[in-house]
Amino acid sequence: MRAPLGNFDDARPAPDCLDLLTPPVAEAVRHWRGTVPAEQIVYVDTDPEIADTAVFVEHYGPELLDQSANCVVVAGKRGGETGLAACVVLSRTRVDVNGAVRRQLGARKASFAPMDLATGETGMEYGGITPIGLPAEWPLLVDAAVVDSPYVLIGSGRRRGKLIVPGKLFAELPGAVVLDGLGVAAG
């Protein structure tokens, strides 16, 4: 199968390779019931040593920077309580943690969650966290530019492999809230 974007040697529908995904991602794909068929979620095999965005696009093609998204876990604090949420923005931007995220979560303070907390709570590997398969009770903040993209390259739950997903699918994930301005110019 040819991937809808990029030039990958090994691309296949994610439902055909659930064994390559972490358990929460595999379960989410297996039970997907959105308007976008699960078969349109494409798994591409990639080198785990170059999973980070900058190195990844250098190897697989600079055009992927405009077609990739990052999913980060944030912690919002208010009144002694801490809640977790996830944010998805295009890779050429950064998450507006202290503005859009803090306001949306109603938090006094928001910051990136520590790596061990993010991986422990998601069941995913650092550098591969994806919004597909996150805890359903978490808020999932998605930049509108991600949803407006025809296809987006995102983590697969592991450092090895990526998912290519139709942008509109992100708006249908559990807890999804689509926001303008969640991703701001990196710099």
Side-chain angles (χ1 to χ4, degrees), residues 11-168:
R12 45 196 147 146
D16 294 350
C17 52
L18 298 176
D19 58 320
L20 300 175
L21 305 172
T22 59
V25 178
E27 281 301 301
V29 170
R30 182 180 292 114
H31 298 293
W32 178 250
R33 299 288 178 262
T35 60
V36 175
E39 292 73 25
Q40 288 187 22
I41 303 170
V42 176
Y43 174 85
V44 293
D45 189 35
T46 59
D47 183 344
E49 296 301 315
I50 57 171
D52 295 323
T53 303
V55 180
F56 185 87
V57 298
E58 185 178 305
H59 181 79
Y60 289 103
E63 71 282 357
L64 291 174
L65 184 61
D66 291 329
Q67 301 167 325
S68 299
N70 291 323
C71 180
V72 297
V73 178
V74 296
K77 297 178 184 175
R78 181 178 58 183
E81 302 247 341
T82 300
L84 296 176
C87 302
V88 182
V89 298
L90 293 176
S91 296
R92 67 176 181 269
T93 65
R94 62 176 177 74
V95 176
D96 183 12
V97 176
N98 292 315
V101 173
R102 189 181 54 74
R103 284 190 302 275
Q104 184 65 33
L105 298 179
R108 182 182 53 77
K109 182 181 179 188
S111 59
F112 294 107
M115 179 176 62
D116 59 335
L117 181 63
T119 56
E121 293 293 320
T122 62
M124 299 179 202
E125 295 176 5
Y126 185 74
I129 293 176
T130 185
I132 299 171
L134 289 173
E137 65 276 8
W138 284 16
L140 173 61
L141 311 181
V142 183
D143 190 88
V146 173
V147 175
D148 292 341
S149 298
Y151 282 92
V152 177
L153 183 80
I154 191 95
S156 68
R158 292 201 158 105
R159 287 186 66 82
R160 169 170 223 114
K162 300 279 186 187
L163 297 175
I164 299 174
V165 180
K168 62 186 175 181

